[in-house]
Amino acid sequence: MKKTLLGLCTVAALTLTACSSGPDSGAEADEPTEITVFAAASLTEVFEDIADEFKAADENAPDVKFSFAGSSDLVSQISEGAPADVVATADEKTMKTLKSDDLLAGDTEMFASNTLTLAVADGNPKAIKSSEDFTGNDLVVCAPQVPCGAATQKWAELNDVALDPVSEENSVTDVLGKVSAGQADAGIVYVTDIARADGEVEQVELDGADKVINKYPAATVKASENQKQADAFVKFLGSDTAQKLLRDAGFAAG
């Protein structure tokens, strides 16, 4: 009898252990270990820092993997079914495209804003002081379908400036790269790009740039299989911690 009871107890203990360690033992077993965030190129450095703080704030938070590109490219990729959990664009227009196509879940979080400025080569060898000096110098801008390009066109129209760029790039980081590499004399970028250029370029203010401000929205992608975690990251962008990092990087409030 003792052996029988011992055997039953052993079986029961083993069964309990198996149940407690199985896939249905709790929500944590099903928590994703990683989410993918599609973000505008101008957010590259600051989003890496925000992701570190997001993880530090909650030991159960997933790691964050990024795909940075021009906002229009991000929209195209998500529209074509690219796997993403969160998307953050550099203007409202690109996000509205995803919203109108029913590709987003819930509301968007307006977490930052940015303003245009002019990047010139280190030392400003061409002595470019304003848009009046564009003539005769190689100017690079973002393509019209990219948020910084759309903002550039709007700025030019509002200030009656004729643009004759030598190239139009698909992301603001490409514009900055052309200037810092000496392949262009000047490029219209965001103020945050100057801040992250580590002294490789100099800033020349654009008169009237404050009339054209890009607001940055973020949202959870409807096709995401990690909605809860994606929502948490989007919400975190509005936290004091994330907002301080954004301000330190040169962004203004959304």
Side-chain angles (χ1 to χ4, degrees):
M1 175 67 71
K2 290 184 179 180
K3 289 184 177 180
T4 301
L5 288 174
L6 180 61
L8 289 172
C9 290
T10 302
V11 171
L14 289 173
T15 301
L16 179 60
T17 301
C19 291
S20 63
S21 61
D24 297 326
S25 60
E28 290 187 6
D30 296 324
E31 295 291 320
T33 58
E34 182 179 84
I35 59 172
T36 300
V37 175
F38 278 29
S42 52
L43 294 166
T44 301
E45 284 81 5
V46 69
F47 259 31
E48 295 282 3
D49 293 337
I50 287 175
D52 289 341
E53 293 297 329
F54 173 67
K55 183 71 174 177
D58 181 0
E59 62 180 10
N60 295 318
D63 292 328
V64 182
K65 180 177 72 174
F66 290 106
S67 178
F68 294 106
S71 296
S72 58
D73 287 339
L74 298 176
V75 169
S76 295
Q77 291 169 27
I78 292 173
S79 297
E80 293 170 2
D85 299 298
V86 173
V87 58
T89 62
D91 72 347
E92 297 170 272
K93 182 179 179 180
T94 46
M95 188 66 81
K96 284 180 180 177
T97 298
L98 293 173
K99 187 72 173 178
S100 63
D101 289 341
D102 197 27
L103 296 175
L104 301 180
D107 297 327
T108 58
E109 171 81 22
M110 211 67 66
F111 64 91
S113 61
N114 215 343
T115 309
L116 294 175
T117 192
L118 189 68
V120 298
D122 186 27
N124 197 6
K126 297 297 183 72
I128 298 172
K129 301 297 184 182
S130 70
S131 59
E132 295 179 358
D133 298 322
F134 286 173
T135 303
N137 290 303
D138 291 341
L139 174 70
V140 179
V141 300
C142 291
Q145 68 270 19
V146 181
C148 63
T152 295
Q153 286 195 331
K154 185 175 180 181
W155 169 82
E157 292 169 3
L158 289 174
N159 293 278
D160 196 25
V161 175
L163 297 174
D164 185 23
V166 295
S167 71
E168 296 179 340
E169 305 298 324
N170 287 325
S171 75
V172 70
T173 52
D174 291 338
V175 174
L176 186 68
K178 290 268 188 179
V179 179
S180 61
Q183 298 175 357
D185 300 318
I188 297 179
V189 298
Y190 294 122
V191 293
T192 53
D193 296 301
I194 301 294
R196 65 190 180 92
D198 294 327
E200 293 181 356
V201 299
E202 292 187 13
Q203 178 179 0
V204 173
E205 291 189 9
L206 289 176
D207 292 338
D210 58 342
K211 300 175 184 177
V212 185
I213 297 176
N214 276 22
K215 293 189 175 183
Y216 285 56
T220 297
V221 178
K222 191 172 185 178
S224 168
E225 296 181 355
N226 309 309
Q227 298 266 327
K228 177 183 174 183
Q229 292 72 25
D231 287 345
F233 183 82
V234 171
K235 184 178 180 181
F236 188 76
L237 293 175
S239 68
D240 290 343
T241 299
Q243 287 295 303
K244 183 180 185 305
L245 289 172
L246 287 161
R247 288 195 303 271
D248 291 345
F251 290 92

